[in-house]
Amino acid sequence: MSKNYIRLESKANLENIASIRVCVATFLSELDIHIDELMDIKTALSEAVTNAIDHAYDEESLENKIIVETEVEDDGEIKIKVKDFGKGIEDISLAMTPAYTTKPENEHAGMGFTIMESFMDEIIVDSTVNEGTTIFLTKKIRKRKSNV
């Protein structure tokens, strides 16, 4: 059961990545979370949102959107879902191969899923061609020792 959650909907453009990242980080900062864990989450989230914006839509439109949902479970597990409604991924295994990219002209292309996997405990990608992609990111935060 979720202890708390936040849901953000945004136009799918690169200018909104920083705002999404700040909103989620602010939401999570209310937890007793280590700064390194928060940085890991912010980095993975940025990669997931960037992937959605860069790869889901072929042309810019006001209808292009992404939804980011963040849940905090009672046991301290953080779950983030990044959903787009774009063209989808034909071959998820290939897309998750390190250094694979459909846009080699982009700087650091092909490292998004690798970065997400290295900073989160679990990443699941669900995609349907011509319907969109959902990335599920999960991180279990460490329990802090009581200072009392």
Side-chain angles (χ1 to χ4, degrees), residues 2 4 7 9 15 23 26 42 44 67 104 110 121 134 145 147:
S2 289
N4 200 3
R7 183 179 193 272
E9 182 173 322
E15 292 81 22
C23 286
T26 301
K42 287 170 56 176
I67 295 174
D121 295 326
T134 303
K145 293 180 183 176
N147 292 330

Side-chain angles (χ1 to χ4, degrees), residues 90-139:
E90 288 185 34
D91 186 337
I92 294 171
S93 294
L94 180 60
M96 293 183 76
T97 302
Y100 173 79
T101 183
T102 58
K103 295 189 173 187
E105 68 279 5
N106 290 356
E107 187 177 349
H108 306 296
M111 297 307 295
F113 285 123
T114 302
I115 291 169
M116 286 181 249
E117 287 177 322
S118 67
F119 287 110
M120 300 300 283
D121 295 326
E122 182 179 44
I123 172 176
I124 297 171
V125 180
D126 181 31
S127 189
T128 303
V129 174
N130 297 321
E131 291 183 22
T133 301
T134 303
I135 299 173
F136 299 90
L137 304 167
T138 304
K139 186 156 191 88

Side-chain angles (χ1 to χ4, degrees), residues 144-148:
R144 292 234 176 141
K145 293 180 183 176
S146 174
N147 292 330
V148 179

